[in-house]
Amino acid sequence: MASMMFTDCSSSTTSLLIHLNRRSSTTLLRQSVGQLRLRTTVSGRACSLSIRSADAASDKVIDGKAVAKTIRDEITVEVSRMKESIGVVPGLAVILVGDRKDSATYVRNKKKACESVGIQSFEVRLAEDSSEEEVMKSVSGFNDDPSVHGILVQLPLPSHMDEQNILNAVSIEKDVDGFHPLNIGRLAMRGREPLFVPCTPKGCIELLHRYNVDIKGKRAVVIGRSNIVGMPAALLLQREDATVTIIHSRTKNPEEITREADIIISAVGQPNMVRGSWIKPGAVLIDVGINPVEDPDAPRGYRLVGDICYEEASKVASAITPVPGGVGPMTIAMLLSNTLTSAKRIHNFQ
């Protein structure tokens, strides 16, 4: 039976049709055979919109939500085994400074994720005007706490704080975010192994592995060169023996470069920047971008889209991650995985 799969890169129609789907799914299922095409424009960027059979498109979707659930189930088993065998429960500590709503949401989601797999969570909340010394004191306390195996400082920090000083103060043995310079340095060097890999790029590579995407010898393009995603993603692809090119804001003719790529990881934070015309037929696309786009019909007045125009790209690519539901769930899954790995390493548990 055909079902409705809705993909749209630049209009507010997504939320409208999803809303209609909740009210009258049977009618929409009957009407979804064939294809409806609209042209819409937001901020001067046009993108096609279609309703198609899910059977035709589902094989192309890299389902990060499903993979993350599988990984969390695996972690739950290991956490339980560790507790029963040696009486140790992995622990993750989060330090939140200030009252940013988005940061508070991220921290709350991480806490729920910990609870779902049996990892113990610790949390310190500090005021926006707290001193850097207060944050460092919290970091030091968790460094010395044997029940804590991973420490995460929620970013961004207030502007009066030196972010690098604080991140560098986290014990490398508990740096489950993977941002410590020694971890990044080891990641960059052949023959060295980092204790931890940054969670989002690690999740990108894990998706490629779980979907049996061959990386060795392939041409890979990473769009974006941030310390958090772009740079470590490029290093990880290089470790997998891909030939890697990084595209950034000063790159000339990025379309020509991406058209040569077998694998694209985009982490630039620009909605729908990567068009279908940029993509080599059969390429595999990992979209890290989570960009809010105005949508008056959405409950919050906006919806989320990726860096890649999904509708255009999905017609050309052999596989693609959706936004949301692609890389996002993998980031937290990798954080939980790194915390478990840390606890096992510290307690020499196999």
Side-chain angles (χ1 to χ4, degrees):
M1 176 185 293
S3 63
M4 187 180 76
M5 175 164 291
F6 195 91
T7 56
D8 163 40
C9 302
S10 61
S11 81
S12 62
T13 319
T14 301
S15 59
L16 175 60
L17 277 178
I18 289 173
H19 183 63
L20 287 171
N21 189 26
R22 294 194 186 106
R23 295 203 306 262
S24 182
S25 57
T26 304
T27 302
L28 282 171
L29 286 173
R30 290 173 179 167
Q31 294 175 347
S32 66
V33 179
Q35 193 174 69
L36 168 68
R37 298 195 60 80
L38 303 175
R39 295 294 296 181
T40 60
T41 302
V42 170
S43 301
R45 304 186 71 83
C47 187
S48 299
L49 168 66
S50 71
I51 298 174
R52 66 176 69 184
S53 165
D55 294 336
S58 60
D59 290 343
K60 287 190 172 187
V61 176
I62 297 177
D63 191 343
K65 190 174 181 180
V67 173
K69 183 183 183 304
T70 298
I71 292 170
R72 285 161 70 154
D73 289 345
E74 294 166 357
I75 292 170
T76 301
V77 172
E78 284 299 290
V79 168
S80 178
R81 186 173 71 88
M82 189 174 186
K83 182 179 180 180
E84 292 173 2
S85 299
I86 62 174
V88 173
V89 177
L92 174 66
V94 179
I95 299 171
L96 175 62
V97 185
D99 54 3
R100 284 177 59 113
K101 290 183 179 180
D102 56 348
S103 292
T105 299
Y106 297 148
V107 169
R108 184 167 59 253
N109 290 341
K110 288 165 186 173
K111 186 175 182 179
K112 288 180 180 178
C114 284
E115 293 172 352
S116 72
V117 300
I119 289 176
Q120 191 172 5
S121 63
F122 304 85
E123 183 180 328
V124 167
R125 292 191 176 223
L126 299 172
E128 180 83 17
D129 60 355
S130 297
S131 67
E132 188 172 317
E133 289 71 27
E134 289 178 277
V135 180
M136 297 285 268
K137 184 178 179 181
S138 294
V139 170
S140 178
F142 286 136
N143 281 340
D144 297 334
D145 188 340
S147 62
V148 172
H149 306 96
I151 301 171
L152 185 152
V153 179
Q154 184 64 45
L155 302 178
L157 291 168
S159 58
H160 66 277
M161 294 183 182
D162 188 323
E163 186 175 285
Q164 285 306 309
N165 276 349
I166 293 172
L167 293 180
N168 292 352
V170 175
S171 168
I172 188 173
E173 288 82 12
K174 299 184 179 184
D175 173 40
V176 289
D177 249 347
F179 294 155
H180 195 287
L182 290 178
N183 273 323
I184 294 296
R186 290 176 179 178
L187 181 63
M189 298 177 70
R190 296 188 64 181
R192 305 288 181 90
E193 291 299 325
L195 295 181
F196 304 101
V197 173
C199 300
T200 298
K202 182 180 180 181
C204 294
I205 302 301
E206 186 67 21
L207 284 175
L208 295 175
H209 287 166
R210 297 262 176 165
Y211 274 82
N212 298 314
V213 175
D214 188 18
I215 304 175
K216 185 176 182 179
K218 300 297 183 180
R219 288 180 176 270
V221 165
V222 177
I223 305 176
R225 54 179 172 178
S226 72
N227 291 336
I228 295 173
V229 182
M231 179 268 293
L235 293 175
L236 285 169
L237 287 166
Q238 192 166 276
R239 278 178 166 253
E240 299 272 346
D241 294 321
T243 301
V244 184
T245 301
I246 298 176
I247 289 177
H248 48 79
S249 59
R250 299 294 184 267
T251 301
K252 296 181 179 179
N253 301 319
E255 304 96 322
E256 294 181 11
I257 297 171
T258 57
R259 272 196 293 268
E260 297 179 356
D262 303 299
I263 299 168
I264 298 173
I265 297 179
S266 183
V268 72
Q270 295 293 327
N272 305 321
M273 186 187 85
V274 180
R275 318 301 295 186
S277 60
W278 291 31
I279 297 163
K280 173 183 177 179
V284 176
L285 312 180
I286 306 294
D287 193 346
V288 182
I290 303 179
N291 310 295
V293 173
E294 287 186 11
D295 183 351
D297 295 316
R300 297 181 180 179
Y302 68 90
R303 60 189 174 81
L304 300 176
V305 300
D307 295 343
I308 300 171
C309 181
Y310 186 92
E311 173 60 23
E312 294 179 7
S314 62
K315 296 174 184 176
V316 185
S318 63
I320 182 172
T321 58
V323 177
V327 175
M330 292 296 293
T331 298
I332 291 182
M334 294 298 98
L335 176 64
L336 301 175
S337 176
N338 281 353
T339 302
L340 174 62
T341 297
S342 178
K344 285 184 171 183
R345 183 188 294 122
I346 289 171
H347 294 280
N348 196 28
F349 181 76
Q350 301 299 319

